[in-house]
Amino acid sequence: MFVGFDGRVHAVSAAGQVLWSTEYTTDPEVAAGGVVIGDLSGDGAPEVVFNSYSTGDDKGALFVLGSDGAVQHQLPLPRRGAMPVPTLADVDGDGQADIVVSLKDAEDMVESVRVYTVPGSTASCLLWPTGRGNYLRNGLVP
């Protein structure tokens, strides 16, 4: 799975066959860094999470796609969005998955990171929870 320079997120099989492709923008100023994957709904099928950023204000968003590529949620991000790949983790120890988004234009002592709790989720099935695959960021999948 990867974010292309064409404003789309692409899922391909190990054999290179396209499984699905979902458009997240048609604006040439908007891009995205990469995706994370985890079962946020508890239905046994993983969701795909990513955020977008831009050179202009109010164009970035946080996206949650279903395993079929369908957009389930799209939340606006402030200012120029978020460049880094988001992270899925249980930030506050409540057993639910959180989506951590590091904003592109941090405001010192105001807002640099947003944390979204996913009600009803668990942190037990986070398949690719951060950039480069795991919290060591070495790309290994157990």
Side-chain angles (χ1 to χ4, degrees):
M1 188 162 313
F2 65 95
V3 177
F5 294 114
D6 58 356
R8 302 179 77 79
V9 174
H10 304 272
V12 295
S13 71
Q17 181 178 3
V18 175
L19 302 174
W20 53 259
S21 180
T22 299
E23 185 175 84
Y24 68 89
T25 188
T26 57
D27 187 331
E29 291 185 350
V30 176
V35 303
V36 293
I37 302 169
D39 181 6
L40 301 178
S41 62
D43 64 357
E47 280 74 39
V48 178
V49 180
F50 67 98
N51 40 240
S52 63
Y53 62 94
S54 177
T55 55
D57 283 341
D58 301 322
K59 296 181 179 185
L62 171 67
F63 292 86
V64 178
L65 309 181
S67 60
D68 60 356
V71 177
Q72 294 180 348
H73 302 282
Q74 180 177 345
L75 302 170
L77 292 173
R79 297 171 298 284
R80 295 185 300 160
M83 287 182 80
V85 177
T87 294
L88 305 177
D90 180 3
V91 174
D92 54 6
D94 66 357
Q96 296 183 99
D98 300 301
I99 302 170
V100 181
V101 176
S102 179
L103 298 172
K104 185 172 194 249
D105 298 314
E107 289 186 49
D108 192 30
M109 306 298 288
V110 177
E111 182 180 41
S112 333
V113 173
R114 286 200 170 177
V115 178
Y116 298 87
T117 297
V118 183
S121 68
T122 68
S124 63
C125 189
L126 304 178
L127 306 171
W128 191 270
T130 194
R132 297 185 191 99
N134 58 52
Y135 302 126
L136 295 176
R137 296 180 185 262
N138 60 15
L140 294 177
V141 177

